[in-house]
C-alpha cells in the first residue's frame, strides 16, 4: 500500500495533479502545462478554461449534485437499458453524501 505524504513518502502522480489543479481559478497558467496531455495547445486549453470558469462549469457554491438532475439521469439510464429492467437505480440519498461538501467548504472559509 502506498504511503501518504504525511509519512514522508514521495507524492504519487495523482497527488501532484491535485496540487496543480487546486488553484485553477486563481492561477490558470499553472493548469496549462498539465493540460497538454489533452493534445491541445496551451492557447486552446487557456481558452477552454476561461469558458469553463465563465459558465460555472464546475460547481463552486454547492456540491454540484442536484437531486433533480441525478434522478432524471438515473431514470433515463433505466429507460434506455443502461440499468437492467429488473434493477432499481441507486437513490439520491444512497449516492450523495452532502456532508462531505459542507465540511470541505467550511474548512476553506
Amino acid at each position: 500500500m502506498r504511503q501518504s505524504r504525511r509519512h514522508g513518502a514521495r507524492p504519487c502522480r495523482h497527488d501532484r495533479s491535485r496540487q496543480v489543479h487546486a488553484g485553477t481559478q486563481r492561477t490558470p497558467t499553472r493548469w496549462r502545462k498539465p493540460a497538454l496531455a489533452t493534445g491541445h495547445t496551451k492557447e486552446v486549453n487557456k481558452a477552454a478554461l476561461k469558458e469553463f470558469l465563465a459558465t460555472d462549469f464546475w460547481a463552486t457554491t454547492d456540491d454540484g449534485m442536484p437531486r433533480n438532475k441525478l434522478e432524471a439521469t438515473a431514470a433515463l439510464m433505466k429507460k434506455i437499458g443502461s440499468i437492467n429492467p429488473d434493477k432499481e437505480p441507486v437513490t439520491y440519498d444512497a449516492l450523495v453524501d452532502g456532508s462531505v461538501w459542507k465540511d470541505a467548504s467550511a474548512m476553506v472559509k
Side-chain angles (χ1 to χ4, degrees):
M1 196 152 103
R2 189 177 291 158
Q3 290 181 328
S4 70
R5 290 191 64 196
R6 277 181 246 161
H7 302 292
R10 233 176 113 204
C12 73
R13 173 177 59 89
H14 303 293
D15 290 338
R16 289 191 302 272
S17 175
R18 277 191 217 104
Q19 291 168 359
V20 171
H21 296 296
T24 56
Q25 287 186 325
R26 289 178 299 229
T27 55
T29 55
R30 289 180 66 200
W31 186 77
R32 289 184 295 163
K33 186 174 180 182
L36 291 176
T38 64
H40 300 295
T41 65
K42 289 180 183 181
E43 291 74 26
V44 169
N45 290 327
K46 187 175 180 180
L49 178 60
K50 184 177 179 181
E51 289 297 317
F52 288 144
L53 293 173
T55 60
D56 293 326
F57 184 79
W58 294 289
T60 57
T61 59
D62 60 25
D63 63 11
M65 304 290 280
R67 179 182 291 267
N68 61 335
K69 289 184 180 181
L70 289 174
E71 289 175 346
T73 300
L76 176 63
M77 294 294 104
K78 184 161 182 164
K79 180 179 178 180
I80 65 172
S82 292
I83 297 174
N84 289 331
D86 58 332
K87 302 282 184 180
E88 286 300 314
V90 65
T91 64
Y92 179 85
D93 294 323
L95 180 66
V96 176
D97 180 356
S99 69
V100 174
W101 183 87
K102 289 176 186 171
D103 293 345
S105 178
M107 291 174 70
V108 295
K109 289 185 179 181

